[in-house]
Amino acid sequence: MADRPSRYAQVLAWLDQHIIRRLYTERIRRVILQSLPFWVASLLTGLVAVGYEELFVLAEDISFTWLEAHPLLVFGLTPLAFLLAWLLVKKLAPAARGSGIPQVMAGIELSNPASHGRIGYLLDLRVVAVKMVSSLVLLAGGGVIGREGPTIQISAAIFRAINRLQPAGWPQLSRQIALVTGGAAGLAAAFNTPLGGIVFVVEELTQTHITRFRTAVFTAVIIAGMTAQAIQGPYLYLGFPKVTASTGWFLGIVVLVAMFCGLAGAVFAKTLLWINAYRRRFTTLPQQAAWVAGSGVVMAALAYLMGTDAVGTGKPIINRLLFQNDHLTLWYLFPVRFAGMALSYSSGAAGGVFATSLSAGAILGDALSRLARVTPSDTNLVILVSMVSFLTGVVRSPFTAAILVLEMTDRHSAIFQLLLGGLMAQGAASLVDPVSFYEHLKEGFIKETLAQPVTLTKAVAPTETD
């Protein structure tokens, strides 16, 4: 019995020498220390994304409630909301305007030793606060915006903040990987689409080889997505619509619809760029305020004439078309939503185009299916393809659009038709403009950011490891 302690010590020593030290190497310790801040940032992203979504739903419900109860209020509340949402951005954080994805793309490109000190202009926590408040005000007042682009900018800002808070000597991942990973986590948490977040990074946010950031992106997507699921449950953004994955001659209709919707999405993106260029003619504050108020008045007129279908994210419209389609949706709802999206985005307030583009595509797909006399059993497939195609025409990310719609509906039987639609839409949209909407805006944000004074930050020697 007396030799038991010594034998126990011998066993522990053997385990320490032959197993523990081999498993817990300096490299493993470094990887754990590198990853820990990203795990924290991913958890925070999931929590913030869920909270932001709840507030977004509440703001949309508020807009529906007052518009249905007192329609004439729209002529006072909507211009006021447009002005307030714009002023918040104008005075407090100009980089909070619009979607947020071009800002993240610009931040990734500027994340180098020469210019990283200016990234705070695009991805500061103050920008996050203004982004959220401005978008909620605009939506509650009758704007036509989405939250997915803003969530991506918010997430990237959270990752940047956590990365900068690490103490000196802490092994760090590069600034670029922090922003790329934040963008992926934001999209995954916003739509509950982990694969969509990963594909979005590869296709849209960066051209860097994925081996540089694969582990960070995959881990962040998993943690952010599971955090959102833990609160909301394993929900689907759009549920389980009935889809018949038709082939043969019907693929001809799919191709034609996809090309038409891709062109429509590209025209919408071109329209936004033209409006943004035109409004830059107004240089004084009164002129700019008059433009924003005028946009609000036109939006108010559309909302008064069309009711709640003219405002909001458009998600209720998608659900109605996919699950309760009476095939009587007014054909001119598409141009109304088109105009509402353009007015809201060009107001200069915060708000994205992801969800609203999906709803515009769904409306257009429903109209085209009736025009082509598509059978009711095939209508949902046309609508889903149209959603993918219109979004592709706007953002030029066909695989991201297809994977997003696939994960939102869990209709794996239609994956080839969705991918085909995205590719056809990409080709058609390139005829209108070979450069994507976000690429155009990214260049503008890069120039704007480089014109800002450098923000002093602590010296960091980031690594380029995975």
Side-chain angles (χ1 to χ4, degrees), residues 203-285:
E203 193 174 26
E204 187 70 59
L205 287 188
T206 179
Q207 302 300 318
T208 308
H209 198 276
I210 190 172
T211 54
R212 285 188 53 207
F213 51 82
R214 61 187 174 194
T215 302
V217 168
F218 290 0
T219 304
V221 163
I222 291 169
I223 295 175
M226 290 184 67
T227 301
Q229 280 195 1
I231 299 173
Q232 297 179 308
Y235 70 99
L236 288 176
Y237 188 83
L238 295 175
F240 297 91
K242 293 181 180 179
V243 173
T244 302
S246 301
T247 56
W249 67 270
F250 190 74
L251 289 180
I253 294 179
V254 168
V255 168
L256 291 175
V257 167
M259 294 178 67
F260 186 87
C261 291
L263 285 171
V267 169
F268 172 68
K270 219 37 173 171
T271 301
L272 292 186
L273 293 172
W274 179 83
I275 294 176
N276 283 341
Y278 181 81
R279 72 188 296 268
R280 282 197 289 270
R281 298 180 179 183
F282 307 117
T283 55
T284 67
L285 191 65

Side-chain angles (χ1 to χ4, degrees), residues 435-453:
V435 181
S436 76
F437 175 61
Y438 290 148
E439 284 289 337
H440 280 295
L441 296 181
K442 181 195 76 172
E443 295 303 320
F445 276 112
I446 288 176
K447 293 178 182 178
E448 185 177 323
T449 303
L450 290 176
Q452 305 301 315

